[in-house]
Amino acid sequence: MREALRRVIDPELGYNIVDLGLVYDVTVEDGGVTIVTMTTTTPGCPATNYLKTGAGEAASSVDGVEFVDVRLTYEPRWTPDMMTPEAKAHLGIGSQW
């Protein structure tokens, strides 16, 4: 599932939502019901709908998934510390974070 979600690229940062730390949780329940809990870098992010739609479409592409519910949360609030080292390197963010 996370590999599928890595195909969703944040249009402002140019990197995938998983390694940016925007995907908080993925739960697959009985019957192929999948819940993706995610955030954006800021509340009111102009790419929110794009990212939610992309996450839903990517999750739906995984075999066995019948329904996807993408839930947006701002708890905890996203920080650059949530990014993988690869995402930080891609964005030129050093150890100051």
Side-chain angles (χ1 to χ4, degrees):
M1 181 65 66
R2 290 194 183 270
E3 287 307 312
L5 291 170
R6 278 189 172 90
R7 295 191 307 253
V8 182
I9 305 299
D10 183 297
E12 294 176 327
L13 298 177
Y15 212 73
N16 75 76
I17 62 174
V18 172
D19 291 325
L20 287 173
L22 300 179
V23 176
Y24 287 172
D25 187 55
V26 176
T27 304
V28 180
E29 299 177 348
D30 291 339
V33 174
T34 301
I35 301 167
V36 178
T37 304
M38 64 177 293
T39 194
T40 58
T41 55
T42 61
C45 171
T48 298
N49 288 335
Y50 172 84
L51 296 172
K52 281 183 68 177
T53 299
E57 290 173 356
S60 293
S61 74
V62 175
D63 287 341
V65 172
E66 297 296 324
F67 176 80
V68 178
D69 180 12
V70 179
R71 298 179 181 174
L72 194 64
T73 184
Y74 293 103
E75 295 295 326
R77 191 94 178 241
W78 180 87
T79 69
D81 290 332
M82 296 173 170
M83 292 189 286
T84 63
E86 294 80 11
K88 289 178 184 178
H90 174 81
L91 296 171
I93 297 174
S95 59
Q96 76 269 21
W97 294 101

